[in-house]
Amino acid sequence: MKKIGVLGSGVVGRTLADGFVKRGFEVMLGTGNPNKLSDWQSGANGKVGSFEKAADFGDLIILAVKGTAALKIAEQVKVGISDKTVLDVCNPIADESPKDGVRKFFTTEESLMEMLQNLVPEARFVKAFNYIDSKAMINSAKSKAQIMNICGNEDVAKTEAKEVLALFGFKPKDMGKAEAAREIELMAISL
């Protein structure tokens, strides 16, 4: 069984980490401050470490950090995520407050996922999980399978992503190469 490195200790990262642990995977939750997660030790299969340790630990990586921090974290763990599938859960939502109820993205011509793929070309990024509420990420199996749009440049990585999504009760829809993340990331604006 694969080991999962979850980079990000916010609600989304912890939700996905818990979901993997409940399905029998060994998980390391990576964070910038491991001491703040001393309460998250999910039985024998859940560990906490730095971003670098979690990236080295995982056979499959989940990148679930704030969009404005994603490039910095990816640069920091570049060696650890090379030659691995990385499920990119991040959204390019700007730090500034919404104006008239509309969130702003910090990307323009290319998606955040394309920027990540260009930064770490040795990693196999797949966009997934970014546009649904965290409460629905691991409980979809309770109802009819929900469609999850994904994209990425590597077929082997998309196959891995589809297997994970099926475990969580989703029916994956392959939208194509990394450029499709431009559309998939926009779906998050309504969250």
Side-chain angles (χ1 to χ4, degrees), residues 114-151:
E114 288 172 282
M115 296 164 79
L116 289 162
Q117 186 67 77
N118 289 333
L119 178 66
V120 191
E122 302 83 8
R124 299 182 300 269
F125 285 90
V126 177
K127 180 62 78 177
F129 286 114
N130 69 299
Y131 62 90
I132 63 168
D133 187 277
S134 62
K135 294 178 194 96
M137 288 180 172
I138 62 170
N139 297 318
S140 180
K142 292 181 180 177
S143 60
K144 183 179 157 193
Q146 183 177 346
I147 301 292
M148 175 68 64
N149 295 318
I150 66 168
C151 68

PDB file of all heavy atoms in Angstrom, residues 114-151:
ATOM      1  N   GLU A 114      -0.148  24.886 -13.818  1.00  0.00           N
ATOM      2  CA  GLU A 114       0.867  25.010 -14.871  1.00  0.00           C
ATOM      3  C   GLU A 114       2.140  25.637 -14.315  1.00  0.00           C
ATOM      4  O   GLU A 114       3.248  25.219 -14.665  1.00  0.00           O
ATOM      5  CB  GLU A 114       0.342  25.867 -16.021  1.00  0.00           C
ATOM      6  CG  GLU A 114      -0.723  25.183 -16.861  1.00  0.00           C
ATOM      7  CD  GLU A 114      -1.337  26.140 -17.858  1.00  0.00           C
ATOM      8  OE1 GLU A 114      -2.194  26.966 -17.439  1.00  0.00           O
ATOM      9  OE2 GLU A 114      -0.956  26.074 -19.036  1.00  0.00           O
ATOM     10  N   MET A 115       1.981  26.625 -13.450  1.00  0.00           N
ATOM     11  CA  MET A 115       3.140  27.263 -12.831  1.00  0.00           C
ATOM     12  C   MET A 115       3.909  26.257 -11.973  1.00  0.00           C
ATOM     13  O   MET A 115       5.142  26.216 -11.998  1.00  0.00           O
ATOM     14  CB  MET A 115       2.688  28.467 -11.992  1.00  0.00           C
ATOM     15  CG  MET A 115       2.058  29.572 -12.822  1.00  0.00           C
ATOM     16  SD  MET A 115       1.125  30.763 -11.829  1.00  0.00           S
ATOM     17  CE  MET A 115       2.437  31.763 -11.180  1.00  0.00           C
ATOM     18  N   LEU A 116       3.174  25.427 -11.227  1.00  0.00           N
ATOM     19  CA  LEU A 116       3.807  24.399 -10.404  1.00  0.00           C
ATOM     20  C   LEU A 116       4.528  23.368 -11.276  1.00  0.00           C
ATOM     21  O   LEU A 116       5.655  22.983 -10.977  1.00  0.00           O
ATOM     22  CB  LEU A 116       2.752  23.706  -9.526  1.00  0.00           C
ATOM     23  CG  LEU A 116       2.180  24.540  -8.391  1.00  0.00           C
ATOM     24  CD1 LEU A 116       0.868  23.945  -7.880  1.00  0.00           C
ATOM     25  CD2 LEU A 116       3.181  24.685  -7.263  1.00  0.00           C
ATOM     26  N   GLN A 117       3.878  22.936 -12.354  1.00  0.00           N
ATOM     27  CA  GLN A 117       4.485  21.947 -13.245  1.00  0.00           C
ATOM     28  C   GLN A 117       5.749  22.505 -13.892  1.00  0.00           C
ATOM     29  O   GLN A 117       6.744  21.797 -14.029  1.00  0.00           O
ATOM     30  CB  GLN A 117       3.484  21.524 -14.328  1.00  0.00           C
ATOM     31  CG  GLN A 117       3.960  20.391 -15.207  1.00  0.00           C
ATOM     32  CD  GLN A 117       4.109  19.073 -14.464  1.00  0.00           C
ATOM     33  OE1 GLN A 117       3.138  18.402 -14.178  1.00  0.00           O
ATOM     34  NE2 GLN A 117       5.336  18.694 -14.131  1.00  0.00           N
ATOM     35  N   ASN A 118       5.732  23.778 -14.251  1.00  0.00           N
ATOM     36  CA  ASN A 118       6.929  24.410 -14.827  1.00  0.00           C
ATOM     37  C   ASN A 118       8.043  24.550 -13.795  1.00  0.00           C
ATOM     38  O   ASN A 118       9.222  24.426 -14.124  1.00  0.00           O
ATOM     39  CB  ASN A 118       6.589  25.785 -15.412  1.00  0.00           C
ATOM     40  CG  ASN A 118       5.761  25.685 -16.669  1.00  0.00           C
ATOM     41  OD1 ASN A 118       5.824  24.689 -17.393  1.00  0.00           O
ATOM     42  ND2 ASN A 118       4.968  26.702 -16.940  1.00  0.00           N
ATOM     43  N   LEU A 119       7.677  24.801 -12.541  1.00  0.00           N
ATOM     44  CA  LEU A 119       8.661  24.945 -11.471  1.00  0.00           C
ATOM     45  C   LEU A 119       9.336  23.610 -11.143  1.00  0.00           C
ATOM     46  O   LEU A 119      10.535  23.558 -10.897  1.00  0.00           O
ATOM     47  CB  LEU A 119       7.992  25.513 -10.213  1.00  0.00           C
ATOM     48  CG  LEU A 119       8.882  25.691  -8.988  1.00  0.00           C
ATOM     49  CD1 LEU A 119       9.943  26.767  -9.247  1.00  0.00           C
ATOM     50  CD2 LEU A 119       8.037  26.058  -7.777  1.00  0.00           C
ATOM     51  N   VAL A 120       8.546  22.530 -11.149  1.00  0.00           N
ATOM     52  CA  VAL A 120       9.069  21.195 -10.815  1.00  0.00           C
ATOM     53  C   VAL A 120       8.671  20.231 -11.944  1.00  0.00           C
ATOM     54  O   VAL A 120       7.753  19.421 -11.796  1.00  0.00           O
ATOM     55  CB  VAL A 120       8.541  20.687  -9.457  1.00  0.00           C
ATOM     56  CG1 VAL A 120       9.310  19.424  -9.024  1.00  0.00           C
ATOM     57  CG2 VAL A 120       8.621  21.742  -8.378  1.00  0.00           C
ATOM     58  N   PRO A 121       9.346  20.324 -13.091  1.00  0.00           N
ATOM     59  CA  PRO A 121       8.945  19.497 -14.237  1.00  0.00           C
ATOM     60  C   PRO A 121       9.115  17.994 -14.000  1.00  0.00           C
ATOM     61  O   PRO A 121       8.495  17.191 -14.697  1.00  0.00           O
ATOM     62  CB  PRO A 121       9.845  19.988 -15.370  1.00  0.00           C
ATOM     63  CG  PRO A 121      10.965  20.710 -14.724  1.00  0.00           C
ATOM     64  CD  PRO A 121      10.471  21.202 -13.399  1.00  0.00           C
ATOM     65  N   GLU A 122       9.921  17.619 -13.019  1.00  0.00           N
ATOM     66  CA  GLU A 122      10.138  16.198 -12.725  1.00  0.00           C
ATOM     67  C   GLU A 122       8.966  15.585 -11.962  1.00  0.00           C
ATOM     68  O   GLU A 122       8.842  14.364 -11.882  1.00  0.00           O
ATOM     69  CB  GLU A 122      11.416  16.008 -11.907  1.00  0.00           C
ATOM     70  CG  GLU A 122      12.671  16.536 -12.572  1.00  0.00           C
ATOM     71  CD  GLU A 122      12.880  18.042 -12.365  1.00  0.00           C
ATOM     72  OE1 GLU A 122      12.137  18.671 -11.573  1.00  0.00           O
ATOM     73  OE2 GLU A 122      13.769  18.598 -13.014  1.00  0.00           O
ATOM     74  N   ALA A 123       8.098  16.406 -11.372  1.00  0.00           N
ATOM     75  CA  ALA A 123       6.917  15.918 -10.663  1.00  0.00           C
ATOM     76  C   ALA A 123       5.770  15.757 -11.654  1.00  0.00           C
ATOM     77  O   ALA A 123       5.738  16.410 -12.697  1.00  0.00           O
ATOM     78  CB  ALA A 123       6.539  16.887  -9.548  1.00  0.00           C
ATOM     79  N   ARG A 124       4.822  14.883 -11.308  1.00  0.00           N
ATOM     80  CA  ARG A 124       3.674  14.618 -12.186  1.00  0.00           C
ATOM     81  C   ARG A 124       2.410  15.185 -11.525  1.00  0.00           C
ATOM     82  O   ARG A 124       1.744  14.497 -10.762  1.00  0.00           O
ATOM     83  CB  ARG A 124       3.544  13.119 -12.427  1.00  0.00           C
ATOM     84  CG  ARG A 124       4.761  12.510 -13.099  1.00  0.00           C
ATOM     85  CD  ARG A 124       4.600  11.016 -13.378  1.00  0.00           C
ATOM     86  NE  ARG A 124       4.380  10.217 -12.184  1.00  0.00           N
ATOM     87  CZ  ARG A 124       5.348   9.645 -11.468  1.00  0.00           C
ATOM     88  NH1 ARG A 124       6.609   9.771 -11.834  1.00  0.00           N
ATOM     89  NH2 ARG A 124       5.056   8.931 -10.398  1.00  0.00           N
ATOM     90  N   PHE A 125       2.112  16.446 -11.807  1.00  0.00           N
ATOM     91  CA  PHE A 125       0.979  17.126 -11.184  1.00  0.00           C
ATOM     92  C   PHE A 125      -0.345  16.727 -11.828  1.00  0.00           C
ATOM     93  O   PHE A 125      -0.439  16.604 -13.051  1.00  0.00           O
ATOM     94  CB  PHE A 125       1.142  18.647 -11.285  1.00  0.00           C
ATOM     95  CG  PHE A 125       2.161  19.203 -10.335  1.00  0.00           C
ATOM     96  CD1 PHE A 125       3.493  19.313 -10.710  1.00  0.00           C
ATOM     97  CD2 PHE A 125       1.794  19.591  -9.061  1.00  0.00           C
ATOM     98  CE1 PHE A 125       4.445  19.820  -9.838  1.00  0.00           C
ATOM     99  CE2 PHE A 125       2.736  20.101  -8.168  1.00  0.00           C
ATOM    100  CZ  PHE A 125       4.060  20.209  -8.570  1.00  0.00           C
ATOM    101  N   VAL A 126      -1.352  16.554 -10.987  1.00  0.00           N
ATOM    102  CA  VAL A 126      -2.728  16.328 -11.426  1.00  0.00           C
ATOM    103  C   VAL A 126      -3.615  17.226 -10.574  1.00  0.00           C
ATOM    104  O   VAL A 126      -3.552  17.186  -9.339  1.00  0.00           O
ATOM    105  CB  VAL A 126      -3.168  14.854 -11.241  1.00  0.00           C
ATOM    106  CG1 VAL A 126      -4.627  14.677 -11.645  1.00  0.00           C
ATOM    107  CG2 VAL A 126      -2.275  13.918 -12.045  1.00  0.00           C
ATOM    108  N   LYS A 127      -4.424  18.037 -11.221  1.00  0.00           N
ATOM    109  CA  LYS A 127      -5.370  18.896 -10.502  1.00  0.00           C
ATOM    110  C   LYS A 127      -6.552  18.041 -10.068  1.00  0.00           C
ATOM    111  O   LYS A 127      -7.128  17.316 -10.878  1.00  0.00           O
ATOM    112  CB  LYS A 127      -5.834  20.032 -11.415  1.00  0.00           C
ATOM    113  CG  LYS A 127      -6.812  21.008 -10.790  1.00  0.00           C
ATOM    114  CD  LYS A 127      -6.256  21.750  -9.604  1.00  0.00           C
ATOM    115  CE  LYS A 127      -5.332  22.874  -9.986  1.00  0.00           C
ATOM    116  NZ  LYS A 127      -4.875  23.626  -8.799  1.00  0.00           N
ATOM    117  N   ALA A 128      -6.903  18.104  -8.788  1.00  0.00           N
ATOM    118  CA  ALA A 128      -8.041  17.341  -8.256  1.00  0.00           C
ATOM    119  C   ALA A 128      -8.469  17.929  -6.916  1.00  0.00           C
ATOM    120  O   ALA A 128      -7.671  18.570  -6.235  1.00  0.00           O
ATOM    121  CB  ALA A 128      -7.667  15.868  -8.080  1.00  0.00           C
ATOM    122  N   PHE A 129      -9.707  17.697  -6.534  1.00  0.00           N
ATOM    123  CA  PHE A 129     -10.262  18.058  -5.221  1.00  0.00           C
ATOM    124  C   PHE A 129     -10.338  19.567  -4.963  1.00  0.00           C
ATOM    125  O   PHE A 129     -10.706  19.957  -3.863  1.00  0.00           O
ATOM    126  CB  PHE A 129      -9.438  17.446  -4.075  1.00  0.00           C
ATOM    127  CG  PHE A 129      -9.615  15.963  -3.870  1.00  0.00           C
ATOM    128  CD1 PHE A 129      -8.548  15.105  -4.097  1.00  0.00           C
ATOM    129  CD2 PHE A 129     -10.811  15.440  -3.422  1.00  0.00           C
ATOM    130  CE1 PHE A 129      -8.684  13.746  -3.885  1.00  0.00           C
ATOM    131  CE2 PHE A 129     -10.958  14.077  -3.208  1.00  0.00           C
ATOM    132  CZ  PHE A 129      -9.888  13.223  -3.442  1.00  0.00           C
ATOM    133  N   ASN A 130      -9.988  20.417  -5.887  1.00  0.00           N
ATOM    134  CA  ASN A 130      -9.843  21.838  -5.570  1.00  0.00           C
ATOM    135  C   ASN A 130     -11.141  22.628  -5.539  1.00  0.00           C
ATOM    136  O   ASN A 130     -11.156  23.736  -5.019  1.00  0.00           O
ATOM    137  CB  ASN A 130      -8.883  22.515  -6.553  1.00  0.00           C
ATOM    138  CG  ASN A 130      -9.466  22.610  -7.940  1.00  0.00           C
ATOM    139  OD1 ASN A 130      -9.773  21.598  -8.557  1.00  0.00           O
ATOM    140  ND2 ASN A 130      -9.633  23.813  -8.436  1.00  0.00           N
ATOM    141  N   TYR A 131     -12.221  22.084  -6.068  1.00  0.00           N
ATOM    142  CA  TYR A 131     -13.418  22.920  -6.173  1.00  0.00           C
ATOM    143  C   TYR A 131     -14.625  22.377  -5.398  1.00  0.00           C
ATOM    144  O   TYR A 131     -15.758  22.772  -5.643  1.00  0.00           O
ATOM    145  CB  TYR A 131     -13.798  23.158  -7.645  1.00  0.00           C
ATOM    146  CG  TYR A 131     -14.153  21.908  -8.416  1.00  0.00           C
ATOM    147  CD1 TYR A 131     -15.453  21.438  -8.466  1.00  0.00           C
ATOM    148  CD2 TYR A 131     -13.180  21.206  -9.122  1.00  0.00           C
ATOM    149  CE1 TYR A 131     -15.773  20.297  -9.167  1.00  0.00           C
ATOM    150  CE2 TYR A 131     -13.491  20.076  -9.835  1.00  0.00           C
ATOM    151  CZ  TYR A 131     -14.793  19.621  -9.853  1.00  0.00           C
ATOM    152  OH  TYR A 131     -15.102  18.485 -10.557  1.00  0.00           O
ATOM    153  N   ILE A 132     -14.366  21.484  -4.444  1.00  0.00           N
ATOM    154  CA  ILE A 132     -15.469  21.012  -3.611  1.00  0.00           C
ATOM    155  C   ILE A 132     -15.180  21.349  -2.153  1.00  0.00           C
ATOM    156  O   ILE A 132     -14.029  21.502  -1.754  1.00  0.00           O
ATOM    157  CB  ILE A 132     -15.729  19.500  -3.774  1.00  0.00           C
ATOM    158  CG1 ILE A 132     -14.523  18.690  -3.324  1.00  0.00           C
ATOM    159  CG2 ILE A 132     -16.114  19.156  -5.190  1.00  0.00           C
ATOM    160  CD1 ILE A 132     -14.825  17.221  -3.188  1.00  0.00           C
ATOM    161  N   ASP A 133     -16.219  21.438  -1.373  1.00  0.00           N
ATOM    162  CA  ASP A 133     -16.087  21.729   0.045  1.00  0.00           C
ATOM    163  C   ASP A 133     -15.350  20.573   0.726  1.00  0.00           C
ATOM    164  O   ASP A 133     -15.567  19.405   0.394  1.00  0.00           O
ATOM    165  CB  ASP A 133     -17.486  21.895   0.644  1.00  0.00           C
ATOM    166  CG  ASP A 133     -17.437  22.367   2.077  1.00  0.00           C
ATOM    167  OD1 ASP A 133     -17.266  21.499   2.963  1.00  0.00           O
ATOM    168  OD2 ASP A 133     -17.560  23.583   2.311  1.00  0.00           O
ATOM    169  N   SER A 134     -14.514  20.897   1.679  1.00  0.00           N
ATOM    170  CA  SER A 134     -13.716  19.864   2.355  1.00  0.00           C
ATOM    171  C   SER A 134     -14.593  18.799   3.011  1.00  0.00           C
ATOM    172  O   SER A 134     -14.196  17.633   3.082  1.00  0.00           O
ATOM    173  CB  SER A 134     -12.784  20.499   3.394  1.00  0.00           C
ATOM    174  OG  SER A 134     -13.530  21.165   4.394  1.00  0.00           O
ATOM    175  N   LYS A 135     -15.778  19.170   3.469  1.00  0.00           N
ATOM    176  CA  LYS A 135     -16.661  18.190   4.110  1.00  0.00           C
ATOM    177  C   LYS A 135     -17.108  17.099   3.146  1.00  0.00           C
ATOM    178  O   LYS A 135     -17.455  15.996   3.560  1.00  0.00           O
ATOM    179  CB  LYS A 135     -17.883  18.891   4.695  1.00  0.00           C
ATOM    180  CG  LYS A 135     -17.565  19.826   5.836  1.00  0.00           C
ATOM    181  CD  LYS A 135     -18.831  20.521   6.328  1.00  0.00           C
ATOM    182  CE  LYS A 135     -18.499  21.672   7.218  1.00  0.00           C
ATOM    183  NZ  LYS A 135     -18.465  22.953   6.510  1.00  0.00           N
ATOM    184  N   ALA A 136     -17.104  17.399   1.849  1.00  0.00           N
ATOM    185  CA  ALA A 136     -17.557  16.428   0.844  1.00  0.00           C
ATOM    186  C   ALA A 136     -16.404  15.634   0.224  1.00  0.00           C
ATOM    187  O   ALA A 136     -16.639  14.721  -0.554  1.00  0.00           O
ATOM    188  CB  ALA A 136     -18.311  17.161  -0.260  1.00  0.00           C
ATOM    189  N   MET A 137     -15.168  15.950   0.584  1.00  0.00           N
ATOM    190  CA  MET A 137     -14.018  15.313  -0.067  1.00  0.00           C
ATOM    191  C   MET A 137     -13.884  13.832   0.221  1.00  0.00           C
ATOM    192  O   MET A 137     -13.456  13.078  -0.633  1.00  0.00           O
ATOM    193  CB  MET A 137     -12.721  16.017   0.340  1.00  0.00           C
ATOM    194  CG  MET A 137     -12.566  17.359  -0.263  1.00  0.00           C
ATOM    195  SD  MET A 137     -11.018  18.119   0.265  1.00  0.00           S
ATOM    196  CE  MET A 137     -11.024  19.545  -0.803  1.00  0.00           C
ATOM    197  N   ILE A 138     -14.210  13.432   1.431  1.00  0.00           N
ATOM    198  CA  ILE A 138     -13.992  12.024   1.784  1.00  0.00           C
ATOM    199  C   ILE A 138     -15.292  11.280   2.047  1.00  0.00           C
ATOM    200  O   ILE A 138     -15.271  10.106   2.362  1.00  0.00           O
ATOM    201  CB  ILE A 138     -13.048  11.883   2.998  1.00  0.00           C
ATOM    202  CG1 ILE A 138     -13.635  12.532   4.238  1.00  0.00           C
ATOM    203  CG2 ILE A 138     -11.684  12.453   2.681  1.00  0.00           C
ATOM    204  CD1 ILE A 138     -12.875  12.215   5.511  1.00  0.00           C
ATOM    205  N   ASN A 139     -16.421  11.945   1.899  1.00  0.00           N
ATOM    206  CA  ASN A 139     -17.700  11.314   2.199  1.00  0.00           C
ATOM    207  C   ASN A 139     -18.586  11.136   0.982  1.00  0.00           C
ATOM    208  O   ASN A 139     -19.752  10.828   1.111  1.00  0.00           O
ATOM    209  CB  ASN A 139     -18.452  12.140   3.257  1.00  0.00           C
ATOM    210  CG  ASN A 139     -17.695  12.186   4.553  1.00  0.00           C
ATOM    211  OD1 ASN A 139     -17.149  11.186   4.987  1.00  0.00           O
ATOM    212  ND2 ASN A 139     -17.630  13.353   5.159  1.00  0.00           N
ATOM    213  N   SER A 140     -18.048  11.333  -0.196  1.00  0.00           N
ATOM    214  CA  SER A 140     -18.848  11.259  -1.406  1.00  0.00           C
ATOM    215  C   SER A 140     -19.452   9.872  -1.600  1.00  0.00           C
ATOM    216  O   SER A 140     -20.497   9.726  -2.202  1.00  0.00           O
ATOM    217  CB  SER A 140     -18.014  11.637  -2.622  1.00  0.00           C
ATOM    218  OG  SER A 140     -18.790  11.576  -3.788  1.00  0.00           O
ATOM    219  N   ALA A 141     -18.805   8.847  -1.094  1.00  0.00           N
ATOM    220  CA  ALA A 141     -19.263   7.474  -1.303  1.00  0.00           C
ATOM    221  C   ALA A 141     -20.629   7.212  -0.664  1.00  0.00           C
ATOM    222  O   ALA A 141     -21.280   6.231  -0.978  1.00  0.00           O
ATOM    223  CB  ALA A 141     -18.235   6.488  -0.755  1.00  0.00           C
ATOM    224  N   LYS A 142     -21.078   8.101   0.221  1.00  0.00           N
ATOM    225  CA  LYS A 142     -22.372   7.915   0.875  1.00  0.00           C
ATOM    226  C   LYS A 142     -23.535   8.139  -0.088  1.00  0.00           C
ATOM    227  O   LYS A 142     -24.649   7.769   0.199  1.00  0.00           O
ATOM    228  CB  LYS A 142     -22.501   8.862   2.068  1.00  0.00           C
ATOM    229  CG  LYS A 142     -21.559   8.520   3.200  1.00  0.00           C
ATOM    230  CD  LYS A 142     -21.761   9.464   4.353  1.00  0.00           C
ATOM    231  CE  LYS A 142     -20.810   9.100   5.491  1.00  0.00           C
ATOM    232  NZ  LYS A 142     -20.930  10.036   6.609  1.00  0.00           N
ATOM    233  N   SER A 143     -23.279   8.793  -1.188  1.00  0.00           N
ATOM    234  CA  SER A 143     -24.333   9.052  -2.148  1.00  0.00           C
ATOM    235  C   SER A 143     -23.857   8.637  -3.539  1.00  0.00           C
ATOM    236  O   SER A 143     -22.806   8.030  -3.698  1.00  0.00           O
ATOM    237  CB  SER A 143     -24.693  10.541  -2.134  1.00  0.00           C
ATOM    238  OG  SER A 143     -23.559  11.308  -2.480  1.00  0.00           O
ATOM    239  N   LYS A 144     -24.647   8.983  -4.532  1.00  0.00           N
ATOM    240  CA  LYS A 144     -24.276   8.683  -5.911  1.00  0.00           C
ATOM    241  C   LYS A 144     -22.923   9.331  -6.228  1.00  0.00           C
ATOM    242  O   LYS A 144     -22.652  10.454  -5.804  1.00  0.00           O
ATOM    243  CB  LYS A 144     -25.361   9.253  -6.824  1.00  0.00           C
ATOM    244  CG  LYS A 144     -25.165   8.959  -8.276  1.00  0.00           C
ATOM    245  CD  LYS A 144     -26.327   9.547  -9.067  1.00  0.00           C
ATOM    246  CE  LYS A 144     -25.888   9.767 -10.489  1.00  0.00           C
ATOM    247  NZ  LYS A 144     -26.826  10.593 -11.231  1.00  0.00           N
ATOM    248  N   ALA A 145     -22.079   8.616  -6.950  1.00  0.00           N
ATOM    249  CA  ALA A 145     -20.733   9.126  -7.260  1.00  0.00           C
ATOM    250  C   ALA A 145     -20.802  10.496  -7.920  1.00  0.00           C
ATOM    251  O   ALA A 145     -21.514  10.703  -8.896  1.00  0.00           O
ATOM    252  CB  ALA A 145     -19.987   8.146  -8.143  1.00  0.00           C
ATOM    253  N   GLN A 146     -20.063  11.424  -7.367  1.00  0.00           N
ATOM    254  CA  GLN A 146     -19.995  12.783  -7.884  1.00  0.00           C
ATOM    255  C   GLN A 146     -18.861  12.863  -8.911  1.00  0.00           C
ATOM    256  O   GLN A 146     -17.816  12.237  -8.741  1.00  0.00           O
ATOM    257  CB  GLN A 146     -19.718  13.731  -6.713  1.00  0.00           C
ATOM    258  CG  GLN A 146     -19.681  15.179  -7.087  1.00  0.00           C
ATOM    259  CD  GLN A 146     -19.466  16.061  -5.850  1.00  0.00           C
ATOM    260  OE1 GLN A 146     -19.602  15.615  -4.725  1.00  0.00           O
ATOM    261  NE2 GLN A 146     -19.128  17.301  -6.091  1.00  0.00           N
ATOM    262  N   ILE A 147     -19.043  13.639  -9.934  1.00  0.00           N
ATOM    263  CA  ILE A 147     -18.014  13.828 -10.959  1.00  0.00           C
ATOM    264  C   ILE A 147     -16.916  14.721 -10.394  1.00  0.00           C
ATOM    265  O   ILE A 147     -17.191  15.738  -9.767  1.00  0.00           O
ATOM    266  CB  ILE A 147     -18.594  14.493 -12.231  1.00  0.00           C
ATOM    267  CG1 ILE A 147     -19.714  13.635 -12.827  1.00  0.00           C
ATOM    268  CG2 ILE A 147     -17.501  14.778 -13.251  1.00  0.00           C
ATOM    269  CD1 ILE A 147     -19.257  12.328 -13.405  1.00  0.00           C
ATOM    270  N   MET A 148     -15.655  14.343 -10.638  1.00  0.00           N
ATOM    271  CA  MET A 148     -14.502  15.159 -10.248  1.00  0.00           C
ATOM    272  C   MET A 148     -13.656  15.393 -11.491  1.00  0.00           C
ATOM    273  O   MET A 148     -13.121  14.446 -12.063  1.00  0.00           O
ATOM    274  CB  MET A 148     -13.674  14.447  -9.182  1.00  0.00           C
ATOM    275  CG  MET A 148     -12.395  15.167  -8.807  1.00  0.00           C
ATOM    276  SD  MET A 148     -12.637  16.729  -7.951  1.00  0.00           S
ATOM    277  CE  MET A 148     -13.408  16.159  -6.454  1.00  0.00           C
ATOM    278  N   ASN A 149     -13.568  16.646 -11.908  1.00  0.00           N
ATOM    279  CA  ASN A 149     -12.729  17.002 -13.052  1.00  0.00           C
ATOM    280  C   ASN A 149     -11.262  16.970 -12.650  1.00  0.00           C
ATOM    281  O   ASN A 149     -10.904  17.484 -11.589  1.00  0.00           O
ATOM    282  CB  ASN A 149     -13.084  18.399 -13.565  1.00  0.00           C
ATOM    283  CG  ASN A 149     -14.493  18.461 -14.114  1.00  0.00           C
ATOM    284  OD1 ASN A 149     -14.928  17.563 -14.805  1.00  0.00           O
ATOM    285  ND2 ASN A 149     -15.211  19.519 -13.795  1.00  0.00           N
ATOM    286  N   ILE A 150     -10.452  16.360 -13.511  1.00  0.00           N
ATOM    287  CA  ILE A 150      -9.008  16.319 -13.283  1.00  0.00           C
ATOM    288  C   ILE A 150      -8.294  16.683 -14.579  1.00  0.00           C
ATOM    289  O   ILE A 150      -8.879  16.634 -15.662  1.00  0.00           O
ATOM    290  CB  ILE A 150      -8.519  14.931 -12.801  1.00  0.00           C
ATOM    291  CG1 ILE A 150      -8.711  13.871 -13.888  1.00  0.00           C
ATOM    292  CG2 ILE A 150      -9.196  14.542 -11.493  1.00  0.00           C
ATOM    293  CD1 ILE A 150      -7.988  12.557 -13.610  1.00  0.00           C
ATOM    294  N   CYS A 151      -7.022  17.034 -14.452  1.00  0.00           N
ATOM    295  CA  CYS A 151      -6.183  17.239 -15.624  1.00  0.00           C
ATOM    296  C   CYS A 151      -4.729  17.060 -15.219  1.00  0.00           C
ATOM    297  O   CYS A 151      -4.385  17.129 -14.042  1.00  0.00           O
ATOM    298  CB  CYS A 151      -6.410  18.617 -16.248  1.00  0.00           C
ATOM    299  SG  CYS A 151      -5.843  19.994 -15.226  1.00  0.00           S
TER     300      CYS A 151
END
